[in-house]
Amino acid sequence: MKIGLDSIGFYTSRYYLDIEELARARCVDAAKYKVGLGQNRMSVAPPSEDPVTLGANAALQALEGTPREDIAALLFATETSVDQSKAGGIYIHRLLDLPSRCRVVELKQACYGSTAAVQFAVALVAREPSSKVLVVASDISRYGLGSPGEPTQGCGAVAMVVSAKPRLLAIEPEHGVHTEEVMDFWRPNYRQEAVVDGKYSARLYTQVLLETFEQYKRESGRGLGDIQHFCYHLPFSRMAEKAHAALHKAQLGAAPGSKTLQVQIGDTLHYNRQTGNSYSAAIYAGLASLLDRSEQPLEGRRVGFYSYGSGCVGEFFSGVVQPGYRRDLGSAARLEMLSSRNALSIEGYEAMFNYAIPTDGSFLEIPIHDVGRFRLAAIRDHKRIYEAVN
Ligand code: HMG
């Protein structure tokens, strides 16, 4: 029985900062951010947008054409949780009018949480093949004004319906996985910004890729030549290019030429270049980018996935694109969303970055911004009040 991704939705904030504008403000050569990191824009979440609203908008797209009563579980992956107790997915469950007979839970392991959710969803569907599971991965990446991580900030959400007889991608069972307790990136509960040892994190990302690919190869009997496209976790797009070159060198003794690099990962990078890091969502935003942007039909092609979450857990697995995947893919809405956003000035970005919500339970009405179909409208008595926008 084939199990995998039946649909995909991707959403990011309607506001962005041009990376050249950021470079100017920080007195850095723009080529460092554009070429060295490979980024063009950074999505900035206004106060009325958070991982719940981002995720609800992505889920609305993914659920198009799927009867709500088919959804037996909603797995919400985030490392930007809005509550220490309640799963953010429960707000999404209400906003999207999902059935009450539906499990909802939140999962966290840095950027890897989404892949854990996908694999758990596959297992749930294997037990009850008539059911479908909604996976929502949603995050806002924050490192701090003027920090080395600042140009890699961003936000976004991806939602995927996992089912038997999937229309987009059948997930293959073979995988390599590696867990190791390390301190490369973390965010203590009392902090709004991540703490990161950037260079160490990039080294670990690559080491764990090589290790998990070897495991995958042993388990599946497949090598690099059996995989046509690669979706990497995307903290910034150059990270994927460097990691892919390292994988080629380790497997084949030489780095890939620029044409091979373009064919194997080029189309997966477009959305990330415009949003920045969306943590748990980033790898699957890469898949949406590949499916939407590839000029070549992808039917029957194998896609390798490398998911890395600091701390750390890494996993390599693969899937095969299904016949007719372009039908109902919904690419036009995503391309339109990305081309119609609002550019921020550096002052506008910093004001959104510094906006703080009260922590004493007092009432706050959140200002109106350009958002998708849902917004955080107010905070009252420590409760977050979400509403649909028409
Ligand atoms: P940095 O140290 O300021 O930058 O910050 P750098 O000096 O390493 O330069 C970056 C690149 O730009 C280099 O390229 C430079 O040569 C180049 P490389 O040599 O590495 O190929 N460069 C230029 N290129 C053209 N023209 C120029 C120029 N100047 C320099 N004029 C760093 C970089 C990534 C460390 C920082 O942004 C950071 O700390 N980011 C956050 C951590 C991160 O993204 N880590 C990635 C792996 S870990 C991960 O992905 C997990 C994560 O998503 C969290 C989670 O799991 O939840 C982060």
Side-chain angles (χ1 to χ4, degrees):
M1 176 176 49
K2 283 183 186 172
I3 301 178
L5 306 184
D6 197 51
S7 64
I8 192 162
F10 162 63
Y11 177 82
T12 188
S13 159
R14 308 223 19 89
Y15 295 87
Y16 71 89
L17 179 67
D18 195 295
I19 212 76
E20 291 192 29
E21 184 87 10
L22 180 66
R24 240 188 323 275
R26 303 295 177 245
C27 303
V28 170
D29 181 353
K32 175 173 175 181
Y33 295 169
K34 294 195 81 167
V35 182
L37 298 175
Q39 295 307 108
N40 294 336
R41 291 176 173 179
M42 168 178 129
S43 288
V44 181
S48 48
E49 196 90 91
D50 72 5
V52 169
T53 62
L54 295 168
N57 278 295
L60 196 64
Q61 264 180 45
L63 286 173
E64 187 127 1
T66 299
R68 299 287 201 267
E69 59 273 19
D70 289 359
I71 303 297
L74 190 173
L75 307 182
F76 184 60
T78 188
E79 56 178 300
T80 342
S81 197
V82 298
D83 195 284
Q84 290 283 14
S85 170
K86 179 170 176 158
I90 297 192
Y91 296 111
I92 297 179
H93 177 274
R94 176 179 65 78
L95 291 170
L96 297 180
D97 206 15
L98 290 171
S100 57
R101 191 178 190 282
C102 174
R103 294 182 174 111
V104 180
V105 73
E106 186 166 305
L107 299 170
K108 176 182 69 182
Q109 184 359 70
C111 303
Y112 172 74
S114 51
T115 293
V118 166
Q119 297 291 20
F120 296 168
V122 168
L124 283 172
V125 171
R127 198 174 75 170
E128 199 183 333
S130 61
S131 69
K132 294 180 176 164
V133 176
L134 176 63
V135 169
V136 181
S138 182
D139 271 307
I140 299 175
S141 151
R142 275 173 75 96
Y143 291 98
L145 302 180
S147 69
E150 185 182 31
T152 71
Q153 291 179 152
C155 67
V158 171
M160 298 162 282
V161 172
V162 174
S163 73
K165 293 196 218 133
R167 287 175 294 171
L168 298 186
L169 182 101
I171 293 177
E172 297 177 305
E174 301 84 9
H175 63 282
V177 69
H178 178 89
T179 295
E180 186 178 342
E181 202 273 310
V182 289
M183 297 303 279
D184 60 331
F185 166 108
W186 66 103
R187 184 166 69 83
N189 286 344
Y190 49 81
R191 281 182 65 103
Q192 294 295 315
E193 284 86 40
V195 190
V196 61
D197 185 340
K199 299 266 194 309
Y200 178 48
S201 71
R203 273 201 313 280
L204 279 169
Y205 176 114
T206 309
Q207 274 169 25
V208 173
L209 165 66
L210 303 186
E211 158 65 24
T212 54
F213 187 80
E214 275 301 328
Q215 282 183 33
Y216 168 82
K217 195 167 87 170
R218 279 197 299 276
E219 197 174 306
S220 66
R222 297 183 203 110
L224 264 195
D226 297 304
I227 303 175
Q228 287 74 49
H229 304 279
F230 293 78
C231 285
Y232 284 89
H233 165 53
L234 294 171
F236 50 92
S237 69
R238 275 281 292 148
M239 185 72 237
E241 292 175 349
K242 289 198 285 188
H244 198 54
L247 183 62
H248 261 255
K249 263 198 200 140
Q251 294 294 317
L252 306 173
S258 58
K259 191 156 171 245
T260 304
L261 201 63
Q262 173 55 32
V263 169
Q264 295 188 335
I265 65 170
D267 286 325
T268 70
L269 307 179
H270 290 284
Y271 290 172
N272 176 267
R273 285 206 170 99
Q274 297 187 59
T275 64
N277 196 351
S278 53
Y279 290 160
S280 61
I283 177 174
Y284 299 102
L287 174 64
S289 182
L290 170 68
L291 297 174
D292 290 347
R293 301 277 312 210
S294 175
E295 285 174 7
Q296 304 301 320
L298 297 171
E299 271 101 349
R301 298 209 184 180
R302 180 168 287 113
V303 182
F305 292 85
Y306 174 57
S307 182
Y308 177 79
S310 286
C312 71
V313 182
E315 178 163 344
F316 193 97
F317 68 101
S318 59
V320 177
V321 180
Q322 295 302 289
Y325 75 95
R326 275 187 167 143
R327 224 177 299 131
D328 307 323
L329 184 56
S331 312
R334 291 189 281 276
L335 297 171
E336 145 67 19
M337 170 190 69
L338 283 171
S339 63
S340 64
R341 299 194 297 156
N342 308 288
L344 288 170
S345 63
I346 193 81
E347 293 78 17
Y349 149 63
E350 290 187 354
M352 283 187 183
F353 186 94
N354 287 323
Y355 189 89
I357 60 167
T359 54
D360 61 356
S362 55
F363 177 73
L364 175 74
E365 195 173 336
I366 312 266
I368 303 277
H369 289 98
D370 184 10
V371 292
R373 289 283 304 282
F374 307 100
R375 71 184 202 102
L376 175 64
I379 311 277
R380 182 184 294 119
D381 301 330
H382 297 288
K383 295 175 191 154
R384 296 173 87 82
I385 319 281
Y386 293 98
E387 62 182 28
V389 179
N390 291 316

